[in-house]
Amino acid sequence: MTDTLTPPPAAPAPERPEPTRPGVVSRFVGSTLLWPILALLLLLVVNVVATPSFLNVRIQDGHLYGNVIDIARNSAPVLLVALGMTLIIATRGIDLSVGAIAAIAGAVACTRLVGAADEGAVTTAIMACTWALAVCVLLGLWNGFLVSVLGIQPIIATLVLMVAGRGLAMLVTDGQITTVHNETFSDLATGYVLGLPIASLIAVGMVVAAAVLTRRTALGMLIEAVGINPEASRLAGVRARTIIWTVYVFGAFCAGLAGLIIAANTNSVNANSLGLWIELDAILAVVIGGTALTGGKFSLAGTLVGALFITTLARTIPNVGIPSEANYLFKAVVVVAVCLLQSPRARAALRVRRPAVSKGNPV
Amino acid sequence: MSAAVATVGTTSLWDRIRTYSPPPRFLPLIVTIALFAGMFGAGSVRYENFGDPQVFLSLMINNAHLIVLAVGMTFVILTGGIDLSVGSVVAMSTMILAKTLQSGWSLPAAILAVLVIATLLGTVMGLLIHYFDIQPFIATLAGLFLARGVAYLISIESIPITNETFMKWAYEPLTLWSTYWIRWSVVVALVTVAVAAYVLAFTRFGRTVYAIGGNESSAMLMGLRVAVVKVGVYAVSGFCAGLGGLLFALNTPSGNSLHAVGMELDAIAAAVIGGILLSGGRGYVVGALVGVLVLGVIQTFITFDGTLTSWWTRIAIGVLLLVFVVIQRLMTRRQP
C-alpha cells in the first residue's frame, strides 16, 4: 500500500474546474454550477461505494494510473467538442456537424500518415495533424459562412455538413478502415507528460486558453451580447458577423483536435463510426454545465464538469454492475433531470401554473 | 403547376409561363416536384430501365417507412419544433415488435403495443417541451437516448421476426396493373400522407399547428388550444415513428437496436427539401413525401450508376440540402 497515494486522488477529480474558476466562479456560483458539481460528486460517491478502491491512483512506469486518470483521459474528446459547442451555443447557435468534422480530421490525418514517405517520423505526425486541423478550420469557415453571412438557421446550416461530412470522410479514406503506425501520433491519446495523459492536458489547456481569452478580455461579453440579440449588438458596434464566424471556426478546430485524439487512441480511422454522436454528448455536456440553448450566457467551468460527468457516467454504469447498454437510458434520465432542475417553470410548478409563451425557437 | 414543370415550347408559352406566378407558398413545393421530375427524367435518359414505372414503385416500397417518419416530422417542424428521436423510436419499435412476437403475443397486440408505447413517448416529450419550457432539441435528444436505451435493454442481438401473418404482409405483392406491383407498406404510407394532409388542411388541429408555427404568442392570444396541439404534434410524431418502425420491420423483418441510426436526419432532410421551413408555419405534407422521393432517387441513381460508391449518397444529400436551404433563405428574405 505504500505506492497507493491516497491524498492525490482527491486532487485530480473535484478540483479539476480550478483553472477556470477565478474569472467564472463569482458569476456562476449558486444554482448553475452547484448542481452539476453535486451530481458529479454523487457519481463518484456511488463508484466508491461500489468499488472502494475506485479513486485510487497508482504510479506505474512513471505514469499515474487509475480510474480517475482514465476518466480524465477519456473525457478529452467530449470536452474539446463541448468547449467549442459552448461558445457556439452562447451565440444562440448550434453545431451538429462536429462529429462529422472529427471524422474528417481523423481521416485526413491517417491518410496523410499512411501516404507519407516515412510513416513513423515525428515530423510526419506533426504535418498530418496540421493538415487535418487546417481542413477543419476550412470546414469551420464554411459553417460560419452559412450562418453569419447567409443567415441560415445554425441547426440547418450545420446539418448540411453533418449529412455530407461522413461521406466526405469516406471519400478521403476511400471507404477503408485506415490503420497507422506512428508513435508520436498515438501518443496524442495514450502518451503521458509528467505522469499526466497528454490528451487531457491538451483538452484542459484549450479550456484554460478559451477561458482566459473570453473572460480576461471583452470577447466573452461580446459573444454573450451576440447571443442575447445579434441585431442590437451589431447596432451597438459589435462585429456580430465576425464573432459568429470565429466561434464556428473555433468549434470546428476543437472538433478536429477531438477527432485526432479519437483516431490516435485506436491508431486507425473508421469514417463511419469515428465521433458518432459526439455532437449529442457535447451538447449534453454543455446543457449539464448550465449553458442554456437559448444563448446569451455560457459557463466553461460548467462544460468541463458536464464533460467529466458524462465520462464518469459511462464508467460508473459497468462499475456498479449494470450492463453498459443502459448508458443511453441513464443519459436520457440525466438530460431530463438537468433540464427540469434548470427550468424556472419546473421550479415554479408548485405555484400557479400559467402557460407563459416562449419566444421563438432558438434551435 | 403542371404547366410550370413542362418548360418547353414556343415564345408565347414561355411568355405565359414567365408572367404566371404561382402563389409563393407553393413555390418550394413546385421546385421540389420539378427537381424530382428532372432527376427521374435525367435518370431515364442516362440509364436503361431507369424510367420503368417499377423503379418508381420500388422507390416507394424502399422508403415507405421514411415517408411516414417525414409526415410526423412535418407536424413537429410546422410548429417550429424538431424531433430528433424518430430514428431511435424506429429501432425501439422493431425491437418491441420482435420481442413481443417472440414471447408469444398475437400480432394485433404486438402492433398495438408498439404504437401505444411510441405515442406515449412522443406525448411525454411534448409535455416536457410545453409545460417545462425545455427546448424541443434537448427534450427529443433525451427521447433519442431513451428509445435507443430501451432497444438495447430488450436485446443487444438481432431478433428475427417469424410471424406468418406479418411475413405475408411483408412479401405479398399487390399487383397494380400488368407486371407492376407494390407492397402493403406503400399503401399504409400513402394513407398516412392523405390523412395528415387532410388533418393539416381542414381540421382545427391542423390550422392551430400552422398558427403556432407562425407565432405562438399570437396563437395563444387568439384563444387557440396551444397546449393540446403542441403536445399533440409530438404525440403524432411518436405515433408516426412507431408506424414507421412497423413498416421498417416489413422491409427488414427483424428487431435490431442498431436499426435506423441517423434516420432522423433523413426525415429532417426530406422535410427541408420538401419545402417545409424549419422556422415553422410554412410547408405542406406532400412536400415531405416528394422530399423522401428525391432522397430515394439519389440512392437509385447511385445504384444504377455502379461506378459511384455509396458514400456519394451522403454527399449528394448534403449538397441538395444546401441548395434548398439557400433557396429557402433567399425566398424568405424577399418576403418580409
Side-chain angles (χ1 to χ4, degrees):
Chain A
M1 285 300 275
T2 41
D3 58 350
T4 308
L5 307 171
T6 1
E15 283 181 24
R16 206 139 280 253
E18 202 60 36
T20 50
R21 277 202 166 181
V24 185
V25 77
S26 52
R27 250 176 268 232
F28 291 103
V29 86
S31 58
T32 32
L33 202 50
L34 189 68
W35 286 109
I37 289 181
L38 280 182
L40 183 59
L41 288 180
L42 179 76
L43 269 190
L44 290 176
V45 168
V46 167
N47 276 313
V48 171
V49 170
T51 327
S53 61
F54 188 80
L55 290 179
N56 288 3
V57 173
R58 293 173 291 122
I59 294 183
Q60 194 177 315
D61 305 336
H63 316 313
L64 293 176
Y65 270 91
N67 282 313
V68 179
I69 300 296
D70 265 5
I71 290 173
R73 193 169 72 86
N74 293 345
S75 67
V78 175
L79 178 55
L80 278 169
V81 175
L83 168 66
M85 191 73 81
T86 310
L87 297 184
I88 292 172
I89 287 178
T91 63
R92 218 193 265 185
I94 201 153
D95 190 347
L96 296 181
S97 65
V98 284
I101 291 178
I104 292 174
V108 169
C110 287
T111 24
R112 297 287 313 177
L113 277 175
V114 169
D118 184 7
E119 199 188 327
V122 177
T123 44
T124 318
I126 295 174
M127 280 312 290
C129 292
T130 314
W131 265 101
L133 292 176
V135 171
C136 289
V137 167
L138 272 182
L139 294 173
L141 282 172
W142 164 254
N143 274 339
F145 171 78
L146 289 183
V147 174
S148 66
V149 178
L150 295 188
I152 297 168
Q153 279 169 301
I155 190 170
I156 189 74
T158 54
L159 184 68
V160 171
L161 194 53
M162 185 192 191
V163 171
R166 283 193 190 278
L168 289 174
M170 295 287 271
L171 200 64
V172 172
T173 60
D174 209 19
Q176 307 292 316
I177 297 177
T178 313
T179 314
V180 293
H181 309 280
N182 186 309
E183 292 271 319
T184 322
F185 186 63
S186 56
D187 271 353
L188 209 56
T190 48
Y192 290 83
V193 169
L194 303 172
L196 292 168
I198 293 177
S200 40
L201 286 180
I202 294 175
V204 173
M206 288 295 287
V207 172
V208 172
V212 168
L213 257 177
T214 51
R215 294 305 183 196
R216 290 292 168 202
T217 67
L219 188 62
M221 198 190 64
L222 298 183
I223 288 175
E224 290 179 339
V226 171
I228 292 166
N229 190 333
E231 192 54 27
S233 60
R234 191 184 65 78
L235 292 173
V238 179
R239 286 192 182 178
R241 184 174 283 185
T242 317
I243 283 183
I244 291 176
W245 211 330
T246 313
V247 293
Y248 280 93
V249 173
F250 181 71
F253 181 81
C254 287
L257 271 180
L260 290 181
I261 290 175
I262 299 171
N265 197 28
T266 54
N267 282 318
S268 67
V269 60
N270 177 355
N272 262 333
S273 67
L274 193 155
L276 190 65
W277 287 2
I278 201 172
E279 58 276 350
L280 300 183
D281 274 346
I283 293 170
L284 194 54
V286 173
V287 172
I288 291 175
T291 303
L293 281 188
T294 38
K297 67 173 183 145
F298 66 95
S299 160
L300 292 177
T303 300
L304 184 59
V305 176
L308 285 175
F309 180 86
I310 289 176
T311 328
T312 314
L313 184 69
R315 192 85 187 188
T316 307
I317 285 162
N319 191 35
V320 297
I322 304 171
S324 57
E325 292 76 36
N327 196 355
Y328 290 113
L329 281 182
F330 281 92
K331 272 186 194 167
V333 172
V334 168
V335 181
V336 173
V338 168
C339 288
L340 286 182
L341 277 175
Q342 289 172 351
S343 151
R345 293 287 298 280
R347 288 181 187 170
L350 291 176
R351 281 183 271 153
V352 188
R353 181 172 288 177
R354 197 167 55 88
V357 176
S358 58
K359 286 188 226 95
N361 192 354
V363 287
Chain B
M1 199 169 87
S2 52
V5 175
T7 359
V8 275
T10 58
T11 31
S12 67
L13 182 64
W14 171 239
D15 277 344
R16 260 178 39 219
I17 291 166
R18 210 181 46 188
T19 46
Y20 171 75
S21 65
R25 63 207 166 99
F26 287 130
L27 217 56
L29 188 58
I30 292 169
V31 171
T32 312
I33 292 174
L35 178 80
F36 175 73
M39 287 177 75
F40 206 81
S44 322
V45 172
R46 193 153 171 355
Y47 307 109
E48 221 177 314
N49 297 333
F50 196 102
D52 192 57
Q54 191 57 46
V55 172
F56 176 76
L57 295 177
S58 303
L59 206 67
M60 303 274 273
I61 294 169
N62 293 334
N63 291 296
H65 58 277
L66 195 54
I67 292 174
V68 176
L69 290 189
V71 167
M73 190 66 78
T74 306
F75 275 84
V76 174
I77 291 179
L78 280 178
T79 64
I82 198 152
D83 191 348
L84 296 181
S85 70
V86 290
S88 295
V89 174
V90 165
M92 182 183 78
S93 304
T94 62
M95 217 55 195
I96 293 173
L97 182 74
K99 187 70 185 176
T100 47
L101 288 178
Q102 196 187 37
S103 47
W105 290 35
S106 69
L107 186 58
I111 288 175
L112 194 69
V114 166
L115 293 179
V116 167
I117 292 173
T119 313
L120 261 183
L121 179 65
T123 314
V124 170
M125 291 190 300
L127 290 172
L128 284 177
I129 290 163
H130 184 74
Y131 285 105
F132 295 108
D133 268 353
I134 297 179
Q135 280 120 350
F137 189 88
I138 287 294
T140 56
L141 179 60
L144 181 157
F145 284 130
L146 185 80
R148 195 65 76 177
V150 168
Y152 273 119
L153 271 197
I154 292 173
S155 171
I156 305 168
E157 275 145 39
S158 174
I159 307 176
I161 297 174
T162 48
N163 186 293
E164 276 177 21
T165 327
F166 194 76
M167 297 315 287
K168 197 168 147 250
W169 288 348
Y171 289 123
E172 188 182 39
L174 287 174
T175 308
L176 292 181
W177 73 94
S178 68
T179 58
Y180 300 115
W181 53 275
I182 54 173
R183 291 218 168 102
W184 279 107
S185 53
V186 178
V187 178
V188 175
L190 291 181
V191 167
T192 314
V193 172
V195 170
Y198 174 80
V199 167
L200 280 179
F202 298 116
T203 64
R204 190 179 294 176
F205 183 87
R207 282 159 194 246
T208 314
V209 166
Y210 281 101
I212 293 176
N215 189 329
E216 193 176 329
S217 312
S218 310
M220 171 93 60
L221 293 172
M222 280 163 69
L224 297 175
R225 295 196 297 169
V226 170
V228 174
V229 173
K230 218 171 148 197
V231 176
V233 290
Y234 289 95
V236 167
S237 179
F239 176 84
C240 285
L243 190 60
L246 294 177
L247 298 186
F248 190 90
L250 283 176
N251 273 347
T252 320
S254 69
N256 191 332
S257 34
L258 285 173
H259 274 333
V261 171
M263 198 175 275
E264 59 276 355
L265 296 183
D266 288 338
I268 296 171
V272 171
I273 291 175
I276 296 153
L277 280 194
L278 272 176
S279 45
R282 279 197 231 169
Y284 299 93
V285 83
V286 178
L289 169 68
V290 184
V292 171
L293 292 181
V294 168
L295 296 189
V297 161
I298 294 175
Q299 229 139 27
T300 317
F301 241 99
I302 280 155
T303 321
F304 265 77
D305 190 275
T307 57
L308 291 172
T309 33
S310 65
W311 48 85
W312 279 103
T313 319
R314 310 302 307 168
I315 299 176
I317 294 175
V319 170
L320 258 191
L321 203 57
L322 173 72
V323 170
F324 272 78
V325 166
V326 172
I327 289 176
Q328 281 189 5
R329 177 65 200 156
L330 294 179
M331 275 175 33
T332 47
R333 188 175 273 177
R334 214 174 39 196
Q335 300 157 12

